[in-house]
Amino acid sequence: NLDVKVPVTTRDELGSLSQSMNELAHDLKRYRINKQEFFSNVSHEFRTPLSYIQGYSDALKKGFYKDDKEHQRFIEIINDESHRMNRLINDLFELSRMEEERFPLELELVEVENAVNSAVAKIEATAKEKDIRLIVKCDSDIPHIAADAFRLEQIFTNLLQNAVRYTEKGQILVEVNAEHGKVKAIVSDTGKGINTEYLPHIFDRFYRVEKSRARDHGGTGLGLAIVKQLTELQYGSIEVESQFGKGTKFILSFPEAKEGDE
Ligand code: ADP
């Protein structure tokens, strides 16, 4: 039996106490709904590749295929889907670690341009295959920022992979400049763009504008959630602007490193 003494004296205090209890109850309810939604999304995301793997391996086992070509195609599907499951597990695991406060980051003084260039090198070949022009424009004398070089590059790699994924032909431009104590990096593409009504959701876990199309591209739906977490962990912020049919622009902003940030 807990003897809790709540020092409530006036009607006002009683009113504000009941209001905060209401808010607490509301937060708790939202948390439960979010949790439920999250687990239902996770199971759905895993169920899809698993059902492919089960279906096609059953067919192989029972010899239900026309010829060698179909046999090979079934094997490839099983292989692709198991890779997808692997990516999903890795992304989910990383994201859950990032959402905890003790995610390890090796902060040092880094140049954003270096991270951009390493990320660009990774997607160059795919961009070329799709006939996409890749341009990097960095102002000179950009101040350093305090960041984890590997994690900063991961942000640009994810954004650029998306830009390539959702652009046909066209152009991808990365600009780096500095103003008012901030280093800004802007990744823009001339791709399919995102309808305004979907923009507020694109950083949510598993959110995709076109579920099946995005799935065909091999994405896990966690890329932008990871980008946002990583940006904020490194004291930055991210915004998105997009015009449907015209292209998308992600604007990252990081505070300039101050003396003693090393
Ligand atoms: P995915 O693995 O599906 O790419 P992300 O979290 O990286 O997941 O992105 C979420 C959704 O946002 C994508 O499914 C896509 O609909 C949209 N999106 C992200 N980047 C772009 C872009 N550069 N151009 C158009 N749509 C984009």
Side-chain angles (χ1 to χ4, degrees), residues 23-171:
E23 279 166 16
L24 197 70
H26 181 257
D27 284 354
L28 204 65
K29 196 170 160 201
R30 210 178 45 206
Y31 169 76
R32 287 212 186 101
I33 293 172
N34 281 346
K35 209 167 100 176
Q36 242 168 26
E37 217 175 80
F38 173 70
F39 280 108
S40 119
N41 281 338
V42 171
S43 11
H44 175 80
E45 294 293 331
F46 279 96
R47 201 173 295 134
T48 316
L50 245 183
S51 66
Y52 277 103
I53 293 173
Q54 271 178 345
Y56 286 101
S57 61
D58 275 350
L60 286 180
K61 194 173 150 200
K62 292 175 183 153
F64 290 167
Y65 50 88
K66 279 199 311 254
D67 48 24
D68 280 358
K69 211 170 143 200
E70 192 165 75
H71 181 261
Q72 186 58 25
R73 195 169 65 83
F74 287 5
I75 292 178
E76 273 160 24
I77 293 174
I78 294 171
N79 191 258
D80 283 354
E81 294 299 322
S82 53
H83 280 288
R84 170 190 298 279
M85 285 192 70
N86 202 24
R87 278 200 303 275
L88 252 173
I89 292 170
N90 285 338
D91 281 1
L92 254 182
F93 183 64
E94 280 232 312
L95 192 59
S96 82
R97 280 176 63 223
M98 283 169 198
E99 283 171 355
E100 284 181 25
E101 298 212 329
R102 55 202 157 80
F103 184 68
L105 279 177
E106 284 184 35
L107 295 185
E108 53 184 334
L109 293 183
V110 297
E111 287 176 36
V112 173
E113 186 174 0
N114 288 344
V116 168
N117 287 334
S118 317
V120 163
K122 283 191 185 151
I123 59 133
E124 240 164 5
T126 347
K128 205 169 171 188
E129 271 172 29
K130 289 186 78 180
D131 216 359
I132 296 170
R133 233 156 56 97
L134 253 175
I135 305 163
V136 179
K137 278 189 193 161
C138 290
D139 282 358
S140 50
D141 298 327
I142 299 282
H144 288 79
I145 65 166
D148 180 314
F150 173 71
R151 297 298 177 177
L152 189 66
E153 185 190 317
Q154 192 180 356
I155 293 175
F156 290 111
T157 310
N158 277 355
L159 290 177
L160 287 169
Q161 272 171 349
N162 277 347
V164 173
R165 235 178 234 159
Y166 302 108
T167 303
E168 301 302 325
K169 294 191 174 164
Q171 171 182 301

Side-chain angles (χ1 to χ4, degrees), residues 159 162-163 165-166 189 192-194 202 204 207-210 214 218-225 248 250:
L159 290 177
N162 277 347
R165 235 178 234 159
Y166 302 108
D189 63 59
K192 59 192 289 193
I194 304 164
I202 61 161
D204 294 351
Y207 186 82
R208 299 182 183 106
V209 174
E210 282 174 87
T220 59
L222 294 171
L224 286 180
T248 307
F250 287 92

